[in-house]
Amino acid sequence: MPALNIGIILGSTRQGRLSPQVGEWVKGIADQRGDGNYEIVDIADFKLPLLGEADASEQAGRWNDKLNALDGFVFIVAEYNHSITGALKNALDYAREAWNNKAAGIVSYGSVGGARAAEHLRGILGELSIADVRIHPALSLFTDFENGQTFKPAELHLTNVNGMLDQVIAWSGALKTLR
């Protein structure tokens, strides 16, 4: 089987966001494994307007093309008001079939490790027929980010990221047989 393509989706678009730091860290770990093709997918690059508020045929087409080219996902999820960002929810809603029968891992961050956002995301992923894996690296704004700005993860997270990626690769390969 050819190498699987896994998108590391940055789930925040605001100025000053922390998701690019976390995403690059995950990608660095993933690239060392040699078991897939990993790439950062920044939803900000797709300039998706709020669903239904403007003609976004071009943006939605590019977004769906990108998702169709991927076999699985790792969502980098910031917790905003006990949930995922509005930008991530909007991006999830812009596709349907492109998500189906694929696997996803979640790396979250926030005051309680982004756990509430991750749980909200799991419900949405289920509706989109995305199989989310169990292992979930949860990063604390208090201990894994210096001054809430600079990402400095604790060493213990490396084990969880690798465990999550093991599951994402295994499940993505199994689910590819359904597509």
Side-chain angles (χ1 to χ4, degrees):
M1 180 187 296
L4 297 168
N5 298 314
I6 307 298
I8 300 169
I9 298 180
L10 305 184
S12 178
T13 59
R14 74 170 176 80
Q15 196 75 319
R17 63 199 168 134
L18 301 172
S19 60
Q21 293 178 66
V22 178
E24 288 295 336
W25 173 70
V26 171
K27 185 176 185 317
I29 295 166
D31 285 345
Q32 291 177 7
R33 297 165 52 93
D35 60 354
N37 301 315
Y38 296 91
E39 70 176 288
I40 301 286
V41 179
D42 190 346
I43 60 176
D45 292 341
F46 292 85
K47 309 279 189 243
L48 296 166
L50 287 178
L51 186 65
E53 288 196 354
D55 177 19
S57 301
E58 182 181 329
Q59 297 100 314
R62 282 188 33 228
W63 178 239
N64 277 268
D65 288 346
K66 173 48 71 185
L67 298 176
N68 280 322
L70 298 170
D71 299 305
F73 313 99
V74 173
F75 289 92
I76 308 299
V77 183
E79 184 171 310
Y80 284 60
N81 297 321
H82 293 214
S83 191
I84 63 173
T85 66
L88 178 55
K89 178 62 168 90
N90 191 56
L92 288 162
D93 290 345
Y94 260 101
R96 184 74 190 171
E97 290 80 19
W99 296 117
N100 295 170
N101 297 316
K102 297 181 181 179
I106 300 169
V107 177
S108 63
Y109 60 93
S111 60
V112 291
R116 298 168 294 206
E119 288 308 306
H120 281 183
L121 180 58
R122 288 181 193 282
I124 297 165
L125 297 180
E127 182 60 25
L128 295 171
S129 296
I130 301 172
D132 60 289
V133 303
R134 184 187 67 78
I135 298 176
H136 162 213
L139 308 166
S140 170
L141 284 176
F142 303 115
T143 59
D144 295 307
F145 293 86
E146 187 175 275
N147 299 320
Q149 300 284 329
T150 305
F151 185 48
K152 294 192 174 185
E155 186 68 29
L156 65 94
H157 297 301
L158 183 61
T159 300
N160 285 338
V161 170
N162 275 305
M164 176 204 60
L165 292 172
D166 288 344
Q167 291 181 334
V168 168
I169 288 293
W171 289 28
S172 293
L175 289 170
K176 190 167 186 164
T177 64
L178 298 176
R179 297 190 309 278

